[in-house]
Amino acid sequence: MDYIRQLRNADGEPPAATSIDFAQLFPQCPEDGIDLLVSLLQLDPAKRLTATQAMHHAYVAEMRDPLDERT
């Protein structure tokens, strides 16, 4: 967790304290899509979705074909 607190941008500044509003950036994206994006972009690995969790997310549910997936 300390490495997250020590993150800096190219100018040596810490990241912004406020989150990016992806719903505003991508107004045509469904709410489930925004939720998936936010969940995948978490800096803290403990909070970030795994690939398996992402495949079971509601946003990709109708695109999945479990019979076509490797285990």
Side-chain angles (χ1 to χ4, degrees):
M1 200 61 175
D2 282 339
Y3 75 93
I4 293 173
R5 291 186 188 97
Q6 295 173 7
L7 288 175
R8 299 290 182 258
N9 67 15
D11 297 325
E13 298 294 321
T18 56
S19 306
I20 295 171
D21 185 354
F22 289 109
Q24 183 179 2
L25 281 176
F26 306 110
Q28 301 301 318
C29 187
E31 196 172 317
D32 282 344
I34 299 296
D35 181 65
L36 177 61
L37 180 63
V38 169
S39 298
L40 288 170
L41 294 177
Q42 291 293 317
L43 288 176
D44 184 348
K47 295 179 181 178
R48 189 180 315 133
L49 289 183
T50 65
T52 301
Q53 290 169 326
M55 288 174 54
H56 290 89
H57 191 277
Y59 183 70
V60 296
E62 67 182 57
M63 295 177 252
R64 285 187 70 218
D65 183 0
L67 297 177
D68 194 35
E69 297 169 7
R70 289 191 201 186
T71 56

